[in-house]
């Protein structure tokens, strides 16, 4: 049984045991309908706790060919599989940011089941610092949005994948990660840095303690996104103030020591 399916069946067992008073459920549905009809609002089930996750993706020229094709497919499969989970589909909001010559938002935050297929192209340099800063701005903005609506929120994730060294300055971005991760008992952000063949180890290990390396057999992302989906399910069935144990990494990935 895959990592994702173990997490899925655990979530389903919790859902099967949950009971909601009929009158309370009707009130929730009325509130949700009104919320969702507000112009420009992209969040479902606002009375449920929510988690913001940014996929921060290196689409520089070194990712051309099979790597970028594999990444596009992995994102599609991640959405389809993780959306099957009753809790994740209601609680996880995804945004996609790419960085090459510059950083840009590919997709604004949207409920997981509404995530649109992407067709990323590989071109240019590696504006990693700009990408990180944009991602941090987006998750902070999203959490402020949750707070304004009275929606409880899990700690946001930024999940960065890169195969090279930055071509811009990352010093400000690095300090912002450190600052956000050091706030409170568990920090106000979880930043993940995933290095795929060709990545700069010194760079990613200077950013966070959550560093993952994919093996050198190629840039194949399906197992990694399977793990990411299982992690989203695990978090979505937990409490907001919990720090749940995540599934084990896939066989083609390993944690690498960092500077922290």
């Amino acid at each position: 049984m895959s990592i994702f399916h173990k997490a899925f069946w655990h979530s389903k067992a919790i859902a099967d045991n949950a009971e909601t008073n009929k009158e309370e459920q009707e009130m929730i549905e009325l509130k949700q309908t009104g919320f969702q009809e507000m112009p420009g609002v992209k969040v479902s089930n606002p009375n449920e706790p929510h988690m913001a996750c940014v996929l921060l993706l290196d689409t520089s020229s070194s990712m051309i060919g099979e790597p970028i094709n594999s990444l596009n497919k992995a994102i599609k499969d991640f959405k389809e599989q993780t959306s099957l989970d009753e809790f994740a589909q209601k609680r996880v909001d995804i945004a996609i940011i790419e960085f090459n010559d510059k950083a840009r938002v590919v997709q604004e935050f949207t409920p997981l089941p509404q995530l649109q297929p992407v067709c990323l192209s590989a071109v240019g340099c590696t504006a990693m610092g700009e990408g990180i800063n944009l991602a941090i701005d987006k998750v902070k903005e999203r959490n402020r949005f949750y707070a304004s609506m009275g929606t409880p929120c899990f700690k946001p994730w930024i999940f960065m994948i890169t195969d090279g060294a930055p071509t811009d300055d990352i010093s400000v971005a690095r300090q912002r990660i450190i600052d956000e991760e050091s706030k409170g008992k568990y920090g106000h952000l979880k930043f993940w840095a995933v290095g795929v063949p060709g990545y700069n180890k010194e760079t990613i290990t200077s950013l966070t303690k959550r560093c993952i390396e994919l093996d050198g057999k190629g840039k194949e992302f399906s197992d990694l996104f399977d793990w990411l989906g299982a992690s989203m399910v695990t978090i979505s069935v937990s409490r907001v103030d919990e720090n749940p144990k995540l599934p084990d990494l896939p066989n083609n990935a390993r944690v690498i020591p960092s500077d922290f």
Side-chain angles (χ1 to χ4, degrees):
M1 183 179 291
S2 71
I3 295 172
F4 172 79
H5 286 96
K6 287 179 182 177
F8 173 81
W9 287 112
H10 174 66
S11 169
K12 188 176 186 301
I14 293 175
D16 289 343
N17 290 329
E19 294 182 358
T20 305
N21 181 275
K22 184 177 180 181
E23 292 182 359
E24 292 178 343
Q25 184 63 33
E26 289 174 350
M27 288 298 296
I28 289 172
E29 291 172 355
L30 285 171
K31 290 177 181 177
Q32 289 173 355
T33 300
F35 189 94
Q36 291 168 340
E37 289 174 352
M38 293 174 63
V41 172
K42 292 185 178 180
V43 65
S44 61
N45 302 282
N47 297 306
E48 298 274 355
H50 276 253
M51 177 181 176
C53 177
V54 174
L55 304 181
L56 178 58
L57 309 173
D58 180 346
T59 56
S60 58
S61 57
S62 55
M63 288 285 287
I64 199 167
E66 184 55 32
I68 201 72
N69 294 335
S70 174
L71 185 58
N72 284 325
K73 182 179 184 301
I75 294 169
K76 177 178 177 290
D77 293 344
F78 159 76
K79 179 252 182 168
E80 291 179 352
Q81 289 191 14
T82 314
S83 293
L84 295 174
D85 182 78
E86 181 178 346
F87 286 93
Q89 67 181 231
K90 295 187 294 185
R91 297 181 172 185
V92 177
D93 296 327
I94 301 290
I96 300 175
I97 293 174
E98 68 172 350
F99 58 95
N100 39 63
D101 285 333
K102 61 181 181 180
R104 77 174 184 99
V105 176
V106 176
Q107 194 155 158
E108 294 283 359
F109 276 112
T110 188
L112 179 61
Q114 298 175 30
L115 187 68
Q116 297 300 305
V118 295
C119 186
L120 302 171
S121 300
V123 63
C125 299
T126 311
M128 185 185 296
E130 185 180 345
I132 292 171
N133 282 318
L134 180 56
I136 293 174
D137 289 343
K138 285 295 179 181
V139 295
K140 289 172 73 70
E141 176 185 276
R142 191 64 174 182
N143 273 11
R144 287 194 297 268
F145 172 71
Y146 293 149
S148 72
M149 295 298 175
T151 299
C153 58
F154 298 99
K155 196 183 315 301
W157 276 30
I158 296 175
F159 196 75
M160 184 181 78
I161 297 175
T162 182
D163 73 337
T167 53
D168 63 346
D169 180 59
I170 64 169
S171 59
V172 173
R174 179 189 293 116
Q175 190 59 51
R176 291 185 73 190
I177 295 170
I178 293 169
D179 291 345
E180 292 299 320
E181 290 197 326
S182 63
K183 291 178 179 177
K185 184 177 181 181
Y186 297 121
H188 289 184
L189 170 70
K190 285 193 174 181
F191 187 96
W192 296 82
V194 180
V196 298
Y199 81 100
N200 184 281
K201 183 176 181 180
E202 182 180 355
T203 295
I204 72 168
T205 56
S206 74
L207 296 174
T208 179
K209 64 183 178 182
R210 300 177 186 87
C211 298
I212 298 172
E213 177 185 70
L214 295 191
D215 66 25
K217 296 179 181 178
K219 298 172 184 177
E220 208 289 316
F221 299 102
S222 59
D223 289 344
L224 178 67
F225 274 83
D226 188 29
W227 175 84
L228 178 62
S231 298
M232 296 294 97
V233 171
T234 298
I235 293 168
S236 66
V237 300
S238 67
R239 297 190 309 271
V240 168
D241 59 351
E242 267 190 287
N243 191 29
K245 183 181 184 302
L246 299 178
D248 293 335
L249 287 170
N251 292 332
N252 69 335
R254 69 181 185 92
V255 174
I256 54 176
S258 72
D259 297 345
F260 295 86

